[in-house]
Amino acid sequence: MDMTGQTMLAVTPADWGNIIRDRRLDLGMSQAELARQVGMSRQWVVRFESGHAGVATIDHLTRLAEVLSLDVEASPA
């Protein structure tokens, strides 16, 4: 859920990438700035936002959620 209370469902890696990209843009943040705050490279952010969320660990997702002020809830498939 984002800070506006909107619930977003991420099922595929592309869904994750779209949510992160849209939130980053909403905050006026560059890929380089997000990468710096998450502790990853800009290329990592590019790949993640391009639908390659498989490059991310739970730790990465947690850091992304914290930096972008997103609440994440996981449930079994």
Side-chain angles (χ1 to χ4, degrees):
M1 185 177 302
D2 68 15
M3 293 302 290
T4 65
Q6 178 183 358
T7 299
M8 299 169 283
L9 180 62
V11 176
T12 67
D15 294 339
W16 277 102
N18 290 334
I19 290 167
I20 296 303
R21 182 196 63 240
D22 291 349
R23 180 64 178 155
R24 176 182 60 76
L25 293 172
D26 286 347
L27 295 173
M29 186 181 293
S30 69
Q31 288 175 328
E33 178 62 17
L34 178 58
R36 186 187 66 73
Q37 290 191 36
V38 173
M40 301 301 289
S41 70
R42 188 186 71 78
Q43 278 306 110
W44 183 89
V45 173
V46 169
R47 285 189 48 75
F48 188 94
E49 290 183 353
S50 297
H52 300 281
V55 301
T57 65
I58 293 296
D59 185 53
H60 295 137
L61 295 175
T62 301
R63 286 188 280 168
L64 284 168
E66 288 173 1
V67 169
L68 297 173
S69 298
L70 293 170
D71 292 325
V72 177
E73 180 181 319
S75 61

